Amino acid sequence: MSTRESVQIPDDRDFNNFRTECNSDAGWSQTYNKSGLVVWIQVLEVERSLHKIKCRMECKDIAADTLYDVLHDIEYRKKWDTNVIETFDIGKLTVNSDVGYYAWKCPKPLKNRDVITLRSWLPTGADYIIMNYSVKHPKYPPRKDLVRAVSIQTGYLIQGRGAKSCSITYLAQVDPKGSLPKWVVNKSSQFLAPKAMKKMYKACLKYPDWKQKHNPRFKPWLFPEQSTLPTVALSELSIQHADSLENIDESSLSETKDDRGEGSDEDSIN
């Protein structure tokens, strides 16, 4: 998708290519393998620490459709995703694509980042794909307090393994805009990514009970007629090219202890 010069809704070929890359081992270096969770990286530009990351987790007690719901449910994400600063849907494009905003906390002392993305999803039998790439929206220019990053391609492949188990593969190629220190890649692949996947797993276990208390029948990702989002025309959007955004040099920054602490993993979800 990074080669596109205009904004397009992903088609079957795009979804198939994403699935193929999720399942491919070629060119990936394993950095973590523990308790059914594996992480790989693929270095693209050594000087800027630009890389792809891929995580795969076996979820023995979680149905594929539950995990799919958790990834879609933006209100629930605000409960369990402790990295989120702000996230909201901007508008819908089709019954299975929309445009949204996401801002997140980066490891200290790096500046926090945000993105505007076009997201698409596709259920295929027992499997599900959700993927996105960065776009520009005229009403949401880069903010002064955040660095606008670029999602070249990011997404999830959920593969059902029977009624009550599944696996999830997370694949991301994000240009963080700037030169990052080497420790960021190491920390991301060996600590932050596994921690985020484990947090997602815990959130999935709690989701059915939470959803029963919070508008249980409202799932516009399954029932598009429920959506109250305004329609966005493709003509309003343009490709977010990485080279059009400001670069910042954070390569000399040293790692600092995260004062949010490990306790954030156990945040209550009510």
Side-chain angles (χ1 to χ4, degrees):
M1 275 186 211
S2 57
T3 59
R4 283 187 173 158
E5 291 303 317
S6 62
V7 176
Q8 299 172 32
I9 306 293
D11 57 21
D12 287 346
R13 182 181 59 183
D14 295 313
F15 283 108
N16 287 334
N17 288 344
F18 182 80
R19 177 192 291 271
T20 298
E21 186 161 12
C22 283
N23 291 326
S24 173
D25 294 327
W28 293 92
S29 301
Q30 190 179 115
T31 61
Y32 183 98
N33 188 345
K34 187 177 180 181
S35 304
L37 175 57
V38 188
V39 182
W40 301 264
I41 64 166
Q42 194 175 107
V43 177
L44 303 173
E45 290 183 33
V46 176
E47 302 78 20
R48 295 179 53 217
S49 298
L50 189 63
H51 65 287
K52 292 183 184 181
I53 189 167
K54 180 164 64 175
C55 312
R56 184 173 299 133
M57 179 171 63
E58 299 297 327
C59 305
K60 295 180 180 178
D61 309 314
I62 298 169
D65 57 355
T66 298
L67 183 42
Y68 184 63
D69 287 349
V70 167
L71 291 174
H72 269 291
D73 197 322
I74 197 167
E75 294 306 315
Y76 191 56
R77 178 172 284 275
K78 294 171 185 176
K79 295 287 184 182
W80 67 266
D81 184 353
T82 53
N83 289 322
V84 69
I85 297 172
E86 184 180 12
T87 184
F88 54 85
D89 297 323
I90 294 171
K92 61 185 176 183
L93 292 161
T94 67
V95 295
N96 69 322
S97 62
D98 61 17
V99 180
Y101 175 85
Y102 183 77
W104 72 96
K105 301 170 188 171
C106 289
K108 292 185 177 181
L110 303 181
K111 292 184 177 180
N112 295 328
R113 261 70 174 175
D114 70 351
V115 287
I116 304 284
T117 60
L118 187 160
R119 182 180 63 158
S120 299
W121 53 93
L122 182 69
T124 55
D127 298 349
Y128 304 86
I129 295 174
I130 305 172
M131 60 186 191
N132 72 59
Y133 67 96
S134 278
V135 294
K136 287 194 287 189
H137 189 290
K139 293 183 180 178
Y140 301 94
R143 291 165 46 170
K144 291 181 179 179
D145 58 328
L146 297 167
V147 176
R148 179 61 50 89
V150 178
S151 169
I152 297 167
Q153 183 178 59
T154 301
Y156 301 91
L157 168 64
I158 304 167
Q159 296 175 291
R161 305 273 195 245
K164 283 292 182 182
S165 65
C166 65
S167 72
I168 179 168
T169 303
Y170 168 71
L171 175 65
Q173 182 181 351
V174 176
D175 188 331
K177 289 314 299 171
S179 299
L180 297 177
K182 297 287 189 294
W183 61 262
V184 171
V185 178
N186 294 332
K187 187 170 185 176
S188 294
S189 62
Q190 297 173 21
F191 175 71
L192 296 177
K195 182 180 177 183
M197 297 293 276
K198 292 171 188 174
K199 193 176 297 182
M200 182 195 303
Y201 177 83
K202 291 178 182 178
C204 289
L205 293 174
K206 297 178 181 181
Y207 182 70
D209 287 342
W210 181 89
K211 188 61 176 172
Q212 278 300 315
K213 302 171 188 174
H214 298 83
N215 211 350
R217 293 182 177 84
F218 183 70
K219 296 183 178 182
W221 53 94
L222 298 178
F223 311 109
E225 66 275 9
Q226 295 178 345
S227 176
T228 58
L229 291 174
T231 298
V232 175
L234 274 182
S235 58
E236 294 180 54
L237 307 174
S238 55
I239 293 290
Q240 179 65 78
H241 292 290
D243 56 11
S244 70
L245 292 167
E246 180 185 4
N247 269 312
I248 61 169
D249 187 356
E250 297 175 301
S251 59
S252 62
L253 293 178
S254 300
E255 183 176 2
T256 61
K257 186 172 178 58
D258 190 339
D259 62 6
R260 281 178 286 133
E262 295 305 305
S264 61
D265 253 359
E266 305 302 327
D267 288 346
S268 61
I269 301 171
N270 299 311

